[in-house]
Amino acid sequence: MNKSICVIAALITFPAASFGQAPATGRGQTRRPAPDHPTISIQGESFTPRSILARNMGTPEEQAEQFPPHKIIGNVYYVGTKTLSSFLIVTPAGNILMDTTYERNVRTIQKSVEQLGFKFSDTKIILGNHAHGDHMEGDALAKELTGAQVIVMAEDVPALTAIKPGGKEHPIDKIIHDGDTVTLGGTTLTAYLTAGHTHGATTWIMKTKEGNDSYDVVFHSSLRSGAVLTPPVVAEFNHSFSFVRSLACDVPLGDHPGEYDMHEKFAKLHPGGPNPFIDRAGCNKETDVEDAMFHAILQEQEQAALAAAKP
Ligand SMILES: [Zn+2]
């Protein structure tokens, strides 16, 4: 595809600021609605960019409201809010916190960690899913409260340094690259660059044990298309969709609960019953939705470019 045509089409079809990513801070910004087209359908369910964003973010109240903290599987716990995921990985050498969400949620995450019987001060490492405020704005405060090391993906560093709640610099203690690992107390997480939503969007994987069985846990990154699909971003997404599908997966998780049906699965949690978070059939569900939406948006852009190119 011709690069200039693609960019022109993007500008014609979607004003760059009209949608695409969650607001950087969620405060003091006017959030314009995402477009209500194109529509795609997966397993009988219809989605638009607007409906996906609404499902992911919920209301401002839901973004801040504590969701009951719970064990997902093995040493992996949920400590986030109703619509913003935060995960705690517990090891004998201290804990790993993945996604601090908005800064205003950090105390709620701390409360969830403590309600599960762990100490927030035992957090040794802070990881992130991708450099948007709704996932990593709280890193500075969480580090301040715990002294944890903040480890970030190289390609997200420029975007992260722009996230400064209350003027605080975003802490970066270690920069990693695609395929690097983070190990603490016998648990190893591997970071895979699955760019597109941001340039450094990261899918984390780890193994955890439950009884005698070992499970592959996949902390999916958002694969939601932004407002402008430039050729480099198209290339990023094309790699990410196929790569994510290649991962071994027993337990799919996501940076928003809506991406892995957390609320529905949590409702099915019963002592002694099967673990609803083991969902091999659901491992690629969100990838399928985002892949279809990506191609539908791309098609709209190309059609708009062709229409604009006509004399
Ligand atoms: Zn995002």
Side-chain angles (χ1 to χ4, degrees):
M1 189 197 344
N2 180 298
K3 184 175 178 175
S4 60
I5 286 180
C6 177
V7 173
I8 290 165
L11 294 175
I12 291 168
T13 316
F14 313 115
S18 67
F19 83 111
Q21 64 183 51
T25 68
R27 269 200 276 216
Q29 296 192 1
T30 38
R31 196 191 314 154
R32 298 181 203 174
D36 58 1
H37 61 90
T39 301
I40 58 112
S41 189
I42 296 288
Q43 294 175 21
E45 200 178 341
S46 292
F47 300 89
T48 65
R50 187 175 295 173
S51 77
I52 292 173
L53 188 60
R55 179 205 64 181
N56 283 359
M57 297 303 290
T59 64
E61 292 72 33
E62 288 170 329
Q63 291 163 27
E65 192 178 330
Q66 183 191 34
F67 189 80
H70 56 274
K71 176 178 168 170
I72 298 169
I73 190 165
N75 60 340
V76 182
Y77 296 80
Y78 186 85
V79 292
T81 67
K82 278 191 161 177
T83 60
L84 303 177
S85 299
S86 178
F87 301 105
L88 187 75
I89 298 139
V90 174
T91 91
N95 305 330
I96 299 169
L97 183 64
M98 184 178 300
D99 279 358
T100 56
T101 79
Y102 288 126
E103 185 176 65
R104 61 183 177 276
N105 288 339
V106 170
R107 294 289 184 179
T108 305
I109 290 171
Q110 174 176 9
K111 190 169 105 181
S112 291
V113 169
E114 287 165 357
Q115 283 177 354
L116 287 167
F118 305 113
K119 287 185 187 153
F120 200 49
S121 58
D122 282 342
T123 308
K124 303 296 180 198
I125 294 172
I126 294 168
L127 304 177
N129 182 274
H130 68 268
H132 282 160
D134 53 336
H135 305 290
M136 298 178 73
E137 190 195 72
D139 285 10
L141 178 58
K143 181 183 170 72
E144 208 178 289
L145 295 171
T146 62
Q149 192 187 24
V150 179
I151 302 180
V152 307
M153 183 61 90
E155 287 81 354
D156 256 353
V157 168
L160 280 175
T161 51
I163 297 175
K164 294 181 177 176
K168 289 189 200 76
E169 293 290 331
H170 197 282
I172 295 176
D173 297 304
K174 187 178 174 186
I175 295 173
I176 54 166
H177 299 89
D178 185 28
D180 282 354
T181 58
V182 171
T183 297
L184 184 71
T187 291
T188 295
L189 286 119
T190 306
Y192 289 114
L193 181 63
T194 49
H197 185 68
T198 67
H199 297 306
T202 305
T203 299
W204 291 93
I205 64 159
M206 63 171 273
K207 284 186 184 293
T208 194
K209 276 200 160 180
E210 183 108 319
N212 293 323
D213 296 319
S214 173
Y215 295 90
D216 289 300
V217 181
V218 180
F219 301 90
H220 285 104
S221 170
S222 178
L223 291 168
R224 194 168 59 81
S225 296
V228 180
L229 287 172
T230 59
V233 172
V234 169
E236 286 178 344
F237 272 121
N238 279 329
H239 162 79
S240 297
F241 289 127
S242 60
F243 176 77
V244 165
R245 289 196 174 92
S246 75
L247 292 169
C249 168
D250 299 307
V251 181
L253 303 174
D255 56 351
H256 294 280
E259 293 166 351
Y260 70 100
D261 299 327
M262 178 191 76
H263 291 251
E264 293 80 357
K265 288 173 179 173
F266 179 78
K268 289 182 190 158
L269 265 181
H270 297 296
N275 186 335
F277 294 107
I278 301 171
D279 179 21
R280 296 176 190 95
C283 279
N284 292 319
K285 190 181 160 202
E286 179 63 12
T287 305
D288 290 345
V289 170
E290 296 300 356
D291 195 352
M293 183 57 77
F294 163 76
H295 282 98
I297 291 172
L298 200 56
Q299 196 182 14
E300 273 197 352
Q301 284 193 180
E302 286 168 358
Q303 282 167 353
L306 285 173
K310 277 185 187 159

